[in-house]
Amino acid sequence: MIRLSDLYREHGRRLTPGDMDLQAGITGWRSPSNIALVKYWGKVGEQMPINPSVSFSLSESYTETTVEFGVTDDPRIVFSFGGSLSESFGSRVEAYIGRVSEYLPFLGALSLRIDSSNSFPHSAGIASSASAMSALAMCLCSIERNLFGTLQDDTAFKRKASFLARLGSGSASRSLFPGFAVWGHHPGVPGSSDEVAQPLPFRGLRLRDTILITDSGEKPVSSSAGHRLMERHPYREARIAQAFDHTLKLTGAIRDRDMHTLVRVVEQEALTLHGLMMSSDPGYGLLNDRTWAIIREVRRFREQSGIPVCFTLDAGPNVHLVYPDDHQAETAEWIDERLLQHCEEGRRIDDGMGRGPEEIRKTGPQ
Ligand code: DP6
């Protein structure tokens, strides 16, 4: 089978500065974060996941990135965050541009002025690398399209953007699509791949995600360190088998709108993720008393009301409450009454399934 990395590398070599249609321009994309229902945890080689994952794109939690680009003899990258120069994120962006230049060698002839901002606060338990890297990857694909007239087809454009986003952050590959996405090869999901994510048909199942902030502090152990600990994890093989099984069950549940299965799989995934952290060598735990109090409340409310509300967790102590759109009213009341008391200063973010990235700036008539 032909690997996409080989195809894109080969294609990139043929995009030579002499063929550029344009010398300078601007592009901008708003791209969402996503919440994983089956978790990506552990990677091999060039950002390949050890197991498939499933997520949905959010609507209110996003990054907006604009890139001004121009052909120059003295290429530079200037990065600012919300208008202010940011050296720490700037060096990550610079390393990323270096990494993707293998697939987009024309970037070596360009100066880039990149500005980025997030719609959500730092450390809110929202994967900012997913929205930031997917927004940047969309901008890079737009630059290619602007300069060479390639990637006119939306599917081809998103596919390449997902490939490039993955190289910046694995979870970013899944932010490119409306609704649900799957990343990672699974024999039961036609077309699925370790190199790119793809959208999953969801026939009207619309979910919300209310993010309950229990602690907005910096995480003591980063996701990158957590991924590394999966390399020699004693339960690695069992985890991989479980994630394959969960992906099949969850994609089936989404297709059939089977909320019973969805709730079971989503909660098992969340607790497994943190179980894996605790059983790593060295082991660590990120959950706090408030997280556990919320988890108990969720299970009690579900049992009493019959409403299919469940919790999921990213690599931190904040809780993502996932539930169908059509139970929003009853759920909102319960959140106010029972859950906000467990949040840091009563903080929560109301989010839900979104429509994927949106173009916000382009060269020529806006
Ligand atoms: C727990 O995508 O942040 O959120 O590829 O190293 O950037 P890198 O990791 P990242 O890991 C996300 C892990 C997770 C689960 C998930 O989103 O699937």
Side-chain angles (χ1 to χ4, degrees):
M1 199 161 92
I2 303 173
R3 290 193 314 182
L4 274 178
S5 53
D6 293 332
L7 264 176
Y8 289 142
R9 197 178 300 106
E10 186 47 39
H11 173 74
R13 281 199 201 108
R14 283 186 266 122
L15 302 175
T16 53
D19 297 330
M20 289 183 190
D21 293 342
L22 196 88
Q23 294 292 298
I26 186 162
T27 170
W29 283 88
R30 172 183 303 150
S31 188
S33 183
N34 64 75
I35 177 67
L37 302 180
V38 174
K39 308 290 179 183
Y40 147 54
W41 200 239
K43 51 180 156 179
V44 286
E46 205 185 21
Q47 291 270 105
M48 302 287 203
I50 60 171
N51 62 262
S53 56
V54 183
S55 63
F56 65 87
S57 292
L58 297 178
S59 136
E60 307 305 320
S61 306
Y62 54 78
T63 298
E64 288 189 341
T65 298
T66 54
V67 184
E68 287 174 61
F69 56 95
V71 179
T72 169
D73 291 334
D74 180 22
R76 277 162 207 259
I77 300 171
V78 180
F79 180 82
S80 54
F81 193 77
S84 324
L85 290 187
S86 161
E87 273 182 27
S88 58
F89 205 65
S91 49
R92 183 164 176 193
V93 169
E94 209 164 323
Y96 172 68
I97 300 282
R99 186 171 193 179
V100 298
S101 290
E102 186 184 347
Y103 304 103
L104 307 169
F106 63 86
L107 288 176
L110 301 180
S111 269
L112 304 173
R113 180 175 285 276
I114 304 171
D115 185 65
S116 225
S117 58
N118 292 339
S119 66
F120 49 90
H122 189 59
S123 292
I126 295 171
S128 60
S129 61
S131 52
M133 289 302 169
S134 57
L136 185 54
M138 292 295 276
C139 289
L140 296 180
C141 287
S142 274
I143 295 175
E144 179 188 318
R145 184 164 64 186
N146 268 279
L147 293 177
F148 301 98
T150 52
L151 300 176
Q152 296 293 339
D153 172 68
D154 187 55
T155 306
F157 186 98
K158 290 260 182 79
R159 200 167 161 76
K160 185 156 187 178
S162 177
F163 175 89
L164 295 172
R166 184 198 100 229
L167 298 175
S169 179
S171 53
S173 66
R174 298 184 310 236
S175 275
L176 282 303
F177 311 99
F180 295 97
V182 188
W183 169 44
H185 175 68
H186 190 298
V189 183
S192 57
S193 158
D194 286 345
E195 293 189 278
V196 282
Q198 65 180 39
L200 196 69
F202 56 99
R203 285 202 275 170
L205 173 62
R206 300 206 61 84
L207 298 178
R208 298 210 53 81
D209 177 9
T210 299
I211 305 154
L212 303 166
I213 315 288
T214 65
D215 183 354
S216 60
E218 203 68 48
K219 285 184 288 188
V221 183
S222 69
S223 291
S224 312
H227 284 297
R228 269 198 304 279
L229 287 169
M230 284 307 291
E231 285 165 22
R232 293 166 177 279
H233 200 288
Y235 304 146
R236 183 185 160 99
E237 295 315 314
R239 163 58 190 158
I240 294 174
Q242 182 202 41
F244 273 79
D245 177 47
H246 279 171
T247 298
L248 202 61
K249 288 198 171 109
L250 186 73
T251 50
I254 290 168
R255 184 194 56 221
D256 302 338
R257 303 187 58 156
D258 167 4
M259 287 307 294
H260 179 74
T261 303
L262 185 140
V263 161
R264 254 184 48 215
V265 169
V266 168
E267 292 194 350
Q268 232 173 326
E269 275 292 311
L271 294 179
T272 295
L273 173 69
H274 287 266
L276 288 166
M277 294 176 199
M278 287 186 243
S279 49
S280 294
D281 181 15
Y284 62 104
L286 299 179
L287 305 183
N288 59 36
D289 292 352
R290 293 168 155 185
T291 318
W292 288 113
I294 294 172
I295 288 175
R296 279 193 294 273
E297 290 280 0
V298 172
R299 292 189 155 169
R300 195 176 309 141
F301 177 69
R302 189 169 63 235
E303 218 173 278
Q304 286 169 357
S305 68
I307 295 175
V309 184
C310 58
F311 63 85
T312 187
L313 303 157
D314 259 349
N318 301 321
V319 181
H320 291 248
L321 272 189
V322 174
Y323 51 96
D325 247 4
D326 39 15
H327 287 293
Q328 199 177 347
E330 310 101 286
T331 309
E333 217 169 283
W334 161 68
I335 293 172
D336 287 347
E337 252 170 49
R338 306 287 312 175
L339 301 185
L340 290 190
Q341 57 180 319
H342 301 298
C343 297
E344 190 184 78
E345 294 165 9
R347 286 174 59 204
R348 59 120 183 273
I349 296 175
D350 281 312
D351 215 326
M353 199 178 253
R355 287 181 309 193
E358 205 178 306
E359 193 167 22
I360 50 172
R361 289 293 295 275
K362 58 180 165 188
T363 296
Q366 299 290 308

